[in-house]
Structures are given as C-alpha cells and as structure tokens.
Amino acid sequence: MRILPPKIWRNKDTHYALSASVCEKCGNVIFPARASCNKCGSFKVKLVKLSGKGTLLSFTKSHQIRTGYEKESPVYFGLIRLDEGIEILAPLVDVDDDPKDGSRVEATIRRLRVDSSNGLIEYGTKFRLIENE
Amino acid sequence: MTDAYVSGASMIKVDKYYESNAIDLAIAAVSQLEDQLTTKKPDMLFLANAYSESTEEQVLLANKLARTLGYEIPAFRVESGDSSGGSAIYSAYLAVKSGIAKSVLVVGTEKLSDFPTSHLNDIISQNLDEEFSYRSGVVPQAYAAIQMKMYMKEYGVPREYFAEWPYHMHKYASENPFAYLKFPVEKEAILSSQIVSEPLRLFDTAARSDGASAVLITNHEIGKKISETPVKIEGVEMFTSHFDYRQLKAVQGALKPWREFRPDFYEIHDSYSVTAAMILEELGLERGKSLYMLDQIQVNYSGGLKARGYPGGATGVYQVAEGFMQLAGIFKGKRVRDANRGLVISADELGSVAITIGLSR
C-alpha cells in the first residue's frame, strides 16, 4: 500500500485549501504551512488560505515518470508566483501546447495518483490556465 | 586544537553492481585500506548514505558495517541527501579536531542501479518537501529545467552552451579508471540526447549508479605513521539554505570563508549542467560564460557526477578521496598541474546544502 489515509488526511489543508502560514512578526508567507517562520524563526504564525491565483513565470514539459504517476506523462510543471507573493512549482493541467510565460493560472483539485493495490485515490492541487479574468 | 589530515583514501569503480549490496560495496572500498587500518584501528566510523531505507530496505547501516569489519567503536550513519558524503567528512573532521578521536574511518556507499527510472525518480523526489511537492508528483529535474531556462534568458545563452559541461566531463572521465561512463562524447550526441524535462537532456543530468569510497581522517601523529603523504584538511564549512532558482545561496555561504585560499583545483557537485555553471560562477568565473572557460580552471578531473558517476550520498566521499589522490600524486586519471591546494564542494540534489572542504599538501 503506497497511499496511506493518514497522510492524505493530514495534508488536506495543504492540498484542498492551499493553506499557508503567515509570520506575525515579519510577514513572511510559508507554504506548505508550518508552525515556524522559515525566515525569522518566529513561532508566532497564523494560518491563511491562499487565493490559488497566480502568474506563470516559467514551465517545463517533463518526461520523467514517477511510480504511480505513469498516466500523466509527459507533464507540464509550472513555476507560479501566487498573488500572495510566493513561488511554487506545481503540475499544470488541461495544457496541450506550451503555455505562455506570464499567463494567469488558478488552482484546481485533480486526481494525483491511484493506489493500484487497494484502489485508494489521492487528490490534490494542480493549476490550470485562466481564460478570462 | 589538533589539525586533521586525510591519511588514506580508496574507492571502487562507480558502476552497476547487481551482485552486491551497500555493505558489500563498502567493504570492497575499505579493504583497500587494510594496511593502514591494521596499523591503527579507527576510533570512530561515519557512514555516508542517503537512500538506504528506500533502496536497500535497510537501516542501522553504520552498526552493520562496523560489526562486519570487527569494530566495536562508535558508528554513525550520516544522512543529508546527496550531501551526505560531505556531511560525514565534516563529522569526522569535528571528531579529530576536538581530540575525541585520533583516527576516523569515513565510508560512503550507495546503490541506485537496482531500480527502473520511475522508481528511482520517486526515491530522489524524497528530497522535496513532503506535503506539497512530493505528493503532487513533482520531480527534481523539473526544478533544474526551469533553472536552466531562467539562466538561458538571463544571460542570453543558447542551448548549445550547456553541452560544454558534459563534453568536458566525459573527456576527463575517459582517463579515470574509476569512472562509470569512461568514454568521450561528441557535442552532437549530447545535444540530441533524450529530453528529460525541456530543455534539460539526459547528458545534462548526473549518471545514477552504485559506488563506495573510504577516507581515513586522522590527527598529525597518526597521519605520519600510516601515510607517506598525509593531506591537511584546512577547514570544512557548511551552509544550509532554501532552494533558489536564481542563485546557489548555500554554495555562496559555504565558499565565503575560502576567499583567500586560491585552490589549484576543484571537485564540485554537478547534479545538472546548469548547477555546474552556477557553481563555477560562484568560484569567480564570468556569469553566463563559465562553461566556455573550462580550459581556464582545473575542475572535476574525475569526470564529475556527469561521467565519473553519481552514487548518491557516497559522492562527497569520492570527491575527497579524489582530492587526496590528486595532492598525493597517486590519482589514476587526469592529473592536476601543480597540485598544492584543492577545494571540494559537496552538495545535495538542488544545491540547498553545501559543504566545502579545503585540502592542502
């Protein structure tokens, strides 16, 4: 068994709500959310929900396959600057041709992988292009 | 404080060893130091290995190696991803510097050849954060690919620029009997190799393989006793940071104390061609031009991760062993001219940890 329910459960805020933490001392945004600030070391952080909207800074079309993600190959990974100012690398979906740098993108929940042995499905965040904003 | 010396080093050829496990490979490397180890039994053992839980389904490796060698000494496994080797050297250096140990055996061992690519990609992806990146199916190669695109844009270099690195690494490796990919390649072959993650191609990535290397770190007194050519460790520095597409902050931090050192040669951790370029530029070569200046710097005469091969967490131990052999004048591959000082840069997959080790004879 590769997909374990407790692991999906404890990541629900990260993957289903894009939760981050914001440092109350220096304002730094930390994603995935943590109980400490990775910039100033303060433990005074609060949880916030990210908007899920951002701008595509760059991307790569990857032919590297990971066990469990075989059906996805090749996959586009995008470097996204979220509107809250942080940069994340995430899979892009519904992209057939190379996207344009500077495109607007938004988070969407999609299937990540399926456990072949007992049928558990793991869902999580990917990003798609926004047509009209 | 006592000074620390590299007083012996050995390695096996980086290769695929289907018939051996990680302990077997470690013993093959250590057995070459038999004379020195018989003269002075080590006081401690540090074992560098990054991925044994996943690759060997094994833990407690340091104890198992110590017991196999017949030692009842403190034995630690050091895990810091692909910088495990440098971290283990650092640990041994601290033990000797402090006077707690007089002689420390450092062994790096790793097995990456037993698996299909998809499984190995999964293991290497454990270097990424668990909650978001690992679970999203991201692969480290995607970070390097985007880093490469940003570099090309920033400096206006063509794709061909990056072929310089694998071209030179293969040329050097073709002289190194311990190298995994011991053959030269033409630039056309590099530029038409399989696409890994656009624009990154196969020859821009490190050659994953099996390997083991051993290094003896001792104080001066024992160094003189067991070696004709003990090599002084001038210092070890370590810096940890976040991954950054635009700069290698950890490498910058770990290089800062070495400004006056002026090494004659380097062994650097070239996970990707773009990583090599960025490290060379931290060493002082012109930004956006470093890969065209490889005849001006003596770097990775081993062949680097690219062609000597990349045995995971054992890599840093190989680098220090190669540095020792260059300074002792016993390296079996391409020799450094006027080798008096060398600098090793051990790092993790994406360069968020860096350890610098200065060696002199």
Side-chain angles (χ1 to χ4, degrees):
Chain A
M1 183 163 53
R2 293 176 42 82
I3 301 177
L4 300 162
K7 292 198 183 197
I8 300 178
W9 177 249
R10 69 168 169 266
N11 277 313
K12 63 189 186 307
D13 291 342
T14 302
H15 269 285
Y16 305 159
L18 273 191
S19 283
S21 27
V22 174
C23 179
E24 293 182 8
K25 217 167 161 187
C26 75
N28 182 37
V29 181
I30 304 117
F31 179 82
R34 301 267 188 217
S36 58
C37 174
N38 60 19
K39 197 169 172 190
C40 75
S42 165
F43 296 101
K44 288 196 172 55
V45 297
K46 61 171 186 235
L47 269 185
V48 297
K49 219 173 127 176
L50 298 173
S51 65
K53 293 199 172 175
T55 305
L56 186 67
L57 297 181
S58 190
F59 68 90
T60 177
K61 186 181 181 183
S62 177
H63 298 266
Q64 289 298 298
I65 300 166
R66 261 174 57 190
T67 308
Y69 300 85
E70 288 88 347
K71 285 184 184 162
E72 309 295 323
S73 173
V75 56
Y76 281 96
F77 291 111
L79 173 62
I80 296 152
R81 178 175 289 139
L82 294 172
D83 290 350
E84 289 81 3
I86 54 167
E87 291 179 5
I88 64 171
L89 185 76
L92 302 176
V93 283
D94 306 337
V95 181
D96 299 321
D97 300 314
D98 285 4
K100 278 203 184 82
D101 290 352
S103 299
R104 292 287 290 162
V105 294
E106 67 182 356
T108 175
I109 293 180
R110 294 295 173 97
R111 187 159 71 177
L112 293 177
R113 58 177 174 168
V114 180
D115 192 324
S116 56
S117 61
N118 63 9
L120 271 181
I121 300 172
E122 182 167 7
Y123 291 91
T125 295
K126 296 185 181 182
F127 283 80
R128 66 180 169 203
L129 300 173
I130 305 176
E131 302 287 335
N132 300 299
E133 194 179 27
Chain B
M1 258 197 296
T2 333
D3 284 329
Y5 291 79
V6 179
S7 303
S10 69
M11 62 183 73
I12 61 169
K13 181 180 184 297
V14 178
D15 214 328
K16 293 178 175 170
Y17 292 97
Y18 296 127
E19 71 285 9
S20 309
N21 67 20
I23 296 282
D24 296 332
L25 298 184
I27 294 164
V30 175
S31 66
Q32 298 170 41
L33 299 175
E34 186 176 4
D35 291 348
Q36 288 161 306
L37 290 168
T38 312
T39 310
K40 169 71 178 100
K41 213 174 85 173
D43 304 320
M44 274 187 200
L45 169 71
F46 287 95
L47 182 132
N49 171 279
Y51 305 109
S52 78
E53 289 88 348
S54 304
T55 56
E56 298 277 278
E57 288 140 352
Q58 284 284 294
V59 291
L60 204 65
L61 276 191
N63 174 269
K64 287 170 188 170
L65 179 61
R67 292 302 307 127
T68 307
L69 295 167
Y71 299 149
E72 292 172 321
I73 55 174
F76 305 85
R77 170 179 165 209
V78 181
E79 186 279 300
S80 178
D82 294 338
S83 63
S84 300
S87 303
I89 296 284
Y90 195 0
S91 309
Y93 171 75
L94 293 176
V96 171
K97 278 295 258 190
S98 69
I100 291 173
K102 290 178 176 156
S103 174
V104 180
L105 176 61
V106 183
V107 185
T109 184
E110 197 85 72
K111 293 262 320 153
L112 300 180
S113 288
D114 291 351
F115 311 96
T117 309
S118 58
H119 190 69
L120 194 52
N121 278 338
D122 202 63
I123 293 170
I124 306 288
S125 299
Q126 293 172 6
N127 281 297
L128 307 174
D129 75 88
E130 191 262 341
E131 297 96 320
F132 188 77
S133 306
Y134 177 76
R135 308 209 76 78
S136 301
V138 178
V139 289
Q141 293 95 329
Y143 289 87
I146 289 177
Q147 198 167 42
M148 191 168 162
K149 275 178 92 172
M150 291 170 104
Y151 183 103
M152 287 164 76
K153 204 168 162 187
E154 170 86 20
Y155 301 110
V157 296
R159 176 67 192 78
E160 289 72 24
Y161 171 74
F162 294 97
E164 295 294 329
W165 185 255
Y167 173 78
H168 280 83
M169 290 304 103
H170 275 265
K171 201 167 77 178
Y172 300 155
S174 68
E175 295 183 45
N176 179 2
F178 299 105
Y180 177 40
L181 306 177
K182 205 176 145 347
F183 52 84
V185 285
E186 297 300 326
K187 287 179 193 168
E188 295 76 47
I190 294 167
L191 290 167
S192 58
S193 65
Q194 182 193 330
I195 295 174
V196 164
S197 192
E198 286 170 0
L200 197 77
R201 286 176 184 266
L202 187 64
F203 275 97
D204 293 310
T205 66
R208 299 156 170 185
S209 42
D210 302 339
S213 175
V215 163
L216 267 171
I217 295 181
T218 71
N219 65 15
H220 188 243
E221 180 202 347
I222 291 170
K224 273 193 309 189
K225 205 183 283 177
I226 66 171
S227 170
E228 285 169 15
T229 52
V231 160
K232 189 176 174 194
I233 302 179
E234 294 288 345
V236 183
E237 304 287 340
M238 181 168 182
F239 205 90
T240 56
S241 72
H242 300 294
F243 172 73
D244 187 323
Y245 293 91
R246 299 157 189 90
Q247 53 182 335
L248 297 174
K249 283 184 182 166
V251 174
Q252 282 167 11
L255 278 175
K256 227 174 201 176
W258 296 104
R259 269 200 200 123
E260 308 298 318
F261 187 56
R262 293 193 179 81
D264 304 303
F265 71 96
Y266 302 88
E267 276 293 331
I268 68 169
H269 192 95
D270 53 322
S271 302
Y272 302 95
S273 302
V274 63
T275 321
M278 290 171 80
I279 294 176
L280 291 174
E281 289 158 18
E282 293 306 332
L283 293 175
L285 295 191
E286 192 178 340
R287 293 193 189 274
K289 296 201 171 140
S290 57
L291 298 187
Y292 289 138
M293 304 164 85
L294 292 174
D295 51 352
Q296 295 175 31
I297 185 168
Q298 304 192 91
V299 62
N300 285 15
Y301 280 4
S302 63
L305 276 71
K306 199 76 54 207
R308 172 242 287 119
Y310 151 60
T315 307
V317 184
Y318 271 88
Q319 291 176 304
V320 171
E322 286 150 357
F324 167 80
M325 289 172 180
Q326 287 286 8
L327 290 166
I330 55 170
F331 185 64
K332 292 193 173 132
K334 184 176 169 69
R335 291 274 180 91
V336 169
R337 289 181 312 276
D338 308 320
N340 289 305
R341 281 184 296 277
L343 190 71
V344 167
I345 302 178
S346 171
D348 69 312
E349 166 82 10
L350 292 172
S352 55
V353 180
I355 299 126
T356 47
I357 302 146
L359 302 170
S360 76
R361 78 168 177 191

